[in-house]
Amino acid sequence: MKRVIGFLSILCLVLIGYYLQPVLFPPTQKQVPVEQKNQVVRHKALKHQTIKAEGYAEYVSQPIETFEQKFGQPTKVEDSGFFFQTRDYELERGILEVNVEAGKVSTIKVMAKKADIQPFKFGMTSGQLSDQINLSADFALTYDEEPVAIELSENDMRFRPLIAFDNNTFAMLFFNGDSEKLIGMVYLDLENLLRLMPYQINSGNPLANRVQESNLDWNVLNEQKQSRTVEAINQYRGLNKLPKLTVTDRTRENSKKLLKSFLTTPKRVLSNERLEEWQTDQGAHLSNLSFELTQAEFKDLAKHDKIDYQSGLFYSPMVDPLFNLFNWISRDHLNELFDASERDVGVAIDQENVLILLQEPEKTKDSE
């Protein structure tokens, strides 16, 4: 019995010692050198969505002769002063304009009540578009072997979404900033996207507007664009069952007077900070650095020249009148200007600068 008790006692001591040894005498940790690696985490931008090119999208970057085989000869041809030619074509209750550069279609602009713009439809809302197509907010593009990253804001996505087609062309859709209905389409190539550019560029560079300096009479070009702007405004108003705006000698001369006054002495109505902004924008010739007079600045300008008005707009740069009209109507602070009740209108243009003036209709003896 004593031997059994002694054996069990020794066995317990051995077991206790075996299990307590690692606790009482922990083994020395072997130092394993850690190889330091500078790992660069690269976030690849999501590829923007593309849809099948159809309709007008198939003609962008094609010879103008190919377009005219389908749509006929132009009803009007005008130089722009910016290295492209604008051609107008017949379109029932609407406008069909094509910009031509070096004999090829660079931009197609459409505004109508009904037109074949599949898979889109004039009058559709921005909500209906987003239900139909997965819209992209970020576009990773390459121009002249350089990467370009374009980002659309929430308002851009709502009123000026950008669509990419599978033939390397694009479409800007413009929705009314109030009703949110589709009012204009612009099909274009990458170069003109970077030149017109109503969006933010996060990397890469937008393209400057190229002004032709020789062999052009800018007085003639300015007059043509003034008429083109009024025609586009009234076409838009007609599609929305609004009366046409009337151009009178008074509004024409007043708009020219205000434009000349501002361009001659901008510091009269601009603070030092705003003057610097204006001068920077003028030197850059970039559409994404647009400059617009505030309501207070426009009021001071009109007050100095003693001109009464209902509403007005000074904007720069304006390179393409119809494109600019689409862009303005998609801005909620500007579309009221073009949806106003019956007014007399004056449009003055000096190369890239435009001033639009709306005044009360003149009273005549008959109206009195």
Side-chain angles (χ1 to χ4, degrees):
M1 188 65 178
K2 290 183 178 180
R3 288 182 179 182
V4 175
I5 295 173
F7 172 77
L8 292 175
S9 299
I10 293 171
L11 179 61
C12 289
L13 290 173
V14 171
L15 291 174
I16 292 171
Y18 177 79
Y19 286 106
L20 288 178
Q21 183 183 5
V23 179
L24 299 174
F25 307 100
T28 304
Q29 294 291 332
K30 185 177 179 179
Q31 297 296 323
V32 178
V34 178
E35 183 180 355
Q36 298 291 333
K37 294 182 179 179
N38 293 324
Q39 296 183 343
V40 179
V41 179
R42 289 183 171 86
H43 298 281
K44 187 176 181 180
L46 292 176
K47 180 66 176 176
H48 56 267
Q49 298 286 322
T50 60
I51 66 172
K52 182 180 181 298
E54 55 183 311
Y56 292 115
E58 297 179 296
Y59 294 94
V60 176
S61 299
Q62 297 301 310
I64 185 60
E65 290 80 9
T66 303
F67 180 87
E68 291 180 347
Q69 285 175 4
K70 172 71 174 179
F71 297 97
Q73 294 300 304
T75 58
K76 182 166 59 176
V77 178
E78 293 178 351
D79 286 322
S80 67
F82 297 96
F83 291 94
F84 66 84
Q85 186 184 72
T86 300
R87 300 188 179 196
D88 293 23
Y89 297 86
E90 288 285 354
L91 184 65
E92 184 179 358
R93 294 189 65 193
I95 295 177
L96 175 58
E97 281 187 7
V98 176
N99 292 353
V100 181
E101 297 180 44
K104 292 187 176 182
V105 174
S106 61
T107 305
I108 301 173
K109 294 153 286 178
V110 193
M111 177 173 63
K113 194 72 174 179
K114 293 182 180 179
D116 186 10
I117 55 171
Q118 293 295 333
F120 316 110
K121 183 179 180 180
F122 283 116
M124 71 186 305
T125 65
S126 56
Q128 290 171 333
L129 175 68
S130 60
D131 290 339
Q132 178 179 333
I133 295 175
N134 291 325
L135 300 176
S136 300
D138 298 291
F139 289 76
L141 309 170
T142 301
Y143 178 78
D144 199 18
E145 299 183 356
E146 293 292 329
V148 180
I150 298 175
E151 180 182 353
L152 275 66
S153 68
E154 184 178 339
N155 273 341
D156 290 332
M157 294 286 287
R158 188 175 174 184
F159 299 109
R160 295 166 292 279
L162 179 65
I163 304 292
F165 297 104
D166 59 6
N167 64 344
N168 296 317
T169 64
F170 303 85
M172 297 181 194
L173 284 70
F174 291 91
F175 293 83
N176 184 291
D178 182 32
S179 68
E180 299 191 22
K181 291 184 177 181
L182 180 63
I183 54 97
M185 290 279 297
V186 179
Y187 300 83
L188 69 178
D189 57 21
L190 176 57
E191 181 174 336
N192 279 276
L193 171 61
L194 297 178
R195 218 176 284 286
L196 293 173
M197 190 44 63
Y199 313 115
Q200 177 178 325
I201 291 186
N202 288 337
S203 67
N205 297 303
L207 299 179
N209 299 311
R210 302 165 299 164
V211 183
Q212 290 175 256
E213 298 292 350
S214 59
N215 302 323
L216 291 175
D217 187 335
W218 275 99
N219 289 326
V220 172
L221 295 184
N222 292 337
E223 290 288 341
Q224 289 176 344
K225 289 186 179 182
Q226 287 162 192
S227 297
R228 185 177 287 275
T229 302
V230 173
E231 289 171 5
I233 292 172
N234 279 331
Q235 183 69 53
Y236 163 76
R237 289 175 63 86
L239 292 173
N240 288 275
K241 300 180 180 180
L242 294 170
K244 288 186 176 181
L245 301 178
T246 303
V247 179
T248 66
D249 291 339
R250 175 185 65 128
T251 53
R252 184 186 296 109
E253 292 306 314
N254 285 344
S255 62
K256 288 182 178 180
K257 182 178 180 180
L258 289 177
L259 179 60
K260 182 178 180 180
S261 177
F262 175 73
L263 295 178
T264 304
T265 53
K267 63 181 180 181
R268 185 182 292 156
V269 296
L270 299 179
S271 65
N272 291 335
E273 182 179 356
R274 287 278 286 161
L275 181 61
E276 184 178 347
E277 179 185 347
W278 160 249
Q279 292 169 340
T280 300
D281 294 351
Q282 280 287 283
H285 298 286
L286 294 173
S287 291
N288 71 323
L289 292 180
S290 60
F291 186 92
E292 176 189 336
L293 285 183
T294 65
Q295 291 186 7
E297 291 165 345
F298 197 99
K299 183 178 181 180
D300 288 343
L301 177 66
K303 182 178 180 181
H304 179 273
D305 288 285
K306 299 178 180 179
I307 292 176
D308 293 326
Y309 72 101
Q310 291 299 311
S311 54
L313 169 69
F314 170 84
Y315 191 93
S316 179
M318 185 177 86
V319 175
D320 185 320
L322 186 54
F323 172 83
N324 280 97
L325 178 62
F326 290 163
N327 192 25
W328 294 334
I329 293 172
S330 72
R331 313 276 172 172
D332 57 3
H333 73 288
L334 288 177
N335 59 61
E336 292 181 0
L337 181 73
F338 306 101
D339 291 341
S341 58
E342 189 173 355
R343 293 282 187 272
D344 289 343
V345 63
V347 177
I349 294 176
D350 186 325
Q351 291 195 4
E352 294 178 281
N353 307 302
V354 59
L355 189 142
I356 299 175
L357 185 70
L358 294 183
Q359 295 181 291
E360 287 280 6
E362 285 187 283
K363 291 184 178 181
T364 62
K365 290 183 178 180
D366 291 338
S367 64
E368 291 175 351

